[in-house]
Amino acid sequence: MSPVRRPLVRVLPLLLSVLLAGCGAPAPRDAAERDIREAVADWARTPPERLAGIPLEGWAYEVSEVRRDGGQATVRADLRYRLGGYDAAAAGSAREVRVARENGRWTVTGDRAAPGALPQLWDQGPVAVVRGTHSLVLGVGQEAGTLSAIAAEADRAVPAASAAWPGPWPGRTVVLVPGSVDGMAELLGRPAAEYRGMGAITTGRVGAGAAPADRVVVNPQGWAELSSMGRGVVLTHEVTHVATRTATTATTPLWLSEGFADRAAYRGSPATPEQAAPALARAVRRGEVPGGLPRAEDFAFGGDPEALARAYEGAWLACRLIADRWGEAALVDLYGRAGREPWPVAVRGALGVDPEALTKDWQEALRAEFR
């Protein structure tokens, strides 16, 4: 062996052992950290007593980080759970668990949403549970009669959504009712001003996949201001979003998603376009026929309420036109295609016309309706 190669042969095994030790070996944990992890594991084996009425399954905390400061420790963990009979897969929540050393033992002293994570409903107070035929209603700071009435409305909304959307979905819904609009905003991670005057909203995101834990969140103040018919329309609209979630993607036009949900909500209703679309009726009569179907930005909250109303009303009337002219099955087909095909391809495939012709037909229908 040459003198040049000999040192290389001797160094390689040592270098390899160092690399393997640095990359593959887990960081050692001291006895205190092991005890803290065990304390959290023991505490997290069963849900807290205050959640006894909620059908929780698969409840587990997975510790990801332990930060110790003397006799105190903060543990970062991921909570996983399912609502039995309602969730297709586990819901998740990042948590911060506080642990203290007391009488020689580590004990869990508190649990809350981790910084930057959304809280759970039970973080806002004791949760009351009402089970409907097709619904599970969880509320904080609400009277039992209010939650029962919402469950009854949800039980009517689920079959209405199923009638409009024959595609596969679980046929049941979970409704969260926080104590205030501020509580609603906290659950959704948005400013409360965005939800004032709103009756309800869903937690699922367009294009985010199967949304196994899609919830309807009710704004108690907005809900109280609605008429009986208005409550039915709002809840059916939101439940329809839950039903169509797996077929809704980033390519689905927002007007189609919102209009389809309103179509489901108004089916069988005695409300006329004049009654259900007053803002758009006023605009058309002023000669302000929309230049095109509503854009995604037209549905943004916080702007002109009249413009927002016109967007929703125009979307509903577009879906109503499609159902009346081409049939309910064609509207469902268009919705499904829009989530997986380019929009021009989806329109031609479902309706046999191009998008420009559909827009023109909608504009003419508005003029005829509100002349």
Side-chain angles (χ1 to χ4, degrees):
M1 187 176 291
S2 71
V4 174
R5 296 181 62 187
R6 190 177 298 114
L8 181 62
V9 172
R10 290 174 179 171
V11 169
L12 276 176
L14 177 60
L15 177 62
L16 184 60
S17 67
V18 170
L19 288 174
L20 288 175
C23 296
R29 293 174 184 162
D30 61 22
E33 180 172 337
R34 286 196 302 271
D35 290 345
I36 291 167
R37 287 175 175 268
E38 287 175 6
V40 173
D42 290 342
W43 167 82
R45 279 201 175 92
T46 57
E49 228 177 272
R50 67 181 187 277
L51 307 183
I54 304 175
L56 295 167
E57 294 179 353
W59 181 271
Y61 278 70
E62 183 178 337
V63 175
S64 59
E65 181 185 6
V66 176
R67 299 191 305 274
R68 185 157 52 94
D69 182 12
Q72 306 288 325
T74 302
V75 175
R76 182 71 180 250
D78 292 318
L79 167 63
R80 308 294 291 175
Y81 70 92
R82 292 186 309 277
L83 295 182
Y86 295 90
D87 291 342
S93 176
R95 309 293 293 179
E96 189 174 81
V97 182
R98 285 158 293 172
V99 187
R101 188 168 179 79
E102 299 174 352
N103 300 321
R105 295 183 54 194
W106 289 98
T107 305
V108 172
T109 59
D111 170 40
R112 64 186 179 188
L118 298 179
Q120 297 292 308
L121 182 66
W122 52 80
D123 290 324
Q124 299 180 347
V127 178
V129 182
V130 174
R131 292 173 181 262
T133 304
H134 307 292
S135 63
L136 177 70
V137 179
L138 308 178
V140 168
Q142 301 293 332
E143 295 181 358
T146 298
L147 299 182
S148 295
I150 292 174
E153 202 64 72
D155 284 344
R156 289 187 285 271
V158 168
S162 294
W165 179 250
W169 79 289
R172 54 189 180 270
T173 191
V174 177
V175 183
L176 308 182
V177 191
S180 66
V181 66
D182 291 320
M184 176 188 191
E186 189 179 57
L187 292 176
L188 297 167
R190 303 289 297 174
E194 293 188 11
Y195 304 116
R196 297 192 193 283
M198 183 184 294
I201 196 169
T202 55
T203 61
R205 302 189 312 279
V206 171
D214 207 351
R215 316 288 194 225
V216 176
V217 185
V218 168
N219 169 12
Q221 280 90 0
W223 183 263
E225 295 170 2
L226 292 170
S227 66
S228 176
M229 178 182 168
R231 291 174 180 176
V233 167
V234 164
L235 209 49
T236 302
H237 177 107
E238 299 304 334
V239 170
T240 301
H241 280 318
V242 175
T244 59
R245 186 70 66 201
T246 56
T248 308
T249 72
T251 67
T252 306
L254 190 53
W255 74 260
L256 181 59
S257 175
E258 297 298 343
F260 189 93
D262 266 353
R263 171 67 182 170
Y266 282 114
R267 285 182 75 200
S269 164
T272 65
E274 187 74 41
Q275 295 168 325
L280 189 55
R282 288 190 294 270
V284 172
R285 290 197 178 108
R286 291 193 304 264
E288 300 171 7
V289 176
L293 289 159
R295 304 163 302 169
E297 53 265 35
D298 295 332
F299 293 93
F301 287 90
D304 179 6
E306 278 280 306
L308 179 62
R310 290 195 299 270
Y312 274 93
E313 293 166 5
W316 167 56
L317 289 171
C319 289
R320 182 174 181 264
L321 168 68
I322 294 168
D324 289 348
R325 183 168 300 182
W326 286 277
E328 298 283 355
L331 176 59
V332 171
D333 185 32
L334 175 63
Y335 198 104
R337 288 173 179 267
R340 61 180 187 270
E341 299 174 354
W343 178 240
V345 176
V347 176
R348 292 191 195 99
L351 309 182
V353 300
D354 58 32
E356 292 75 18
L358 174 61
T359 298
K360 184 178 178 181
D361 287 345
W362 171 70
Q363 292 167 326
E364 289 302 319
L366 294 180
R367 291 189 184 95
E369 187 69 55
F370 300 126
R371 57 188 169 209

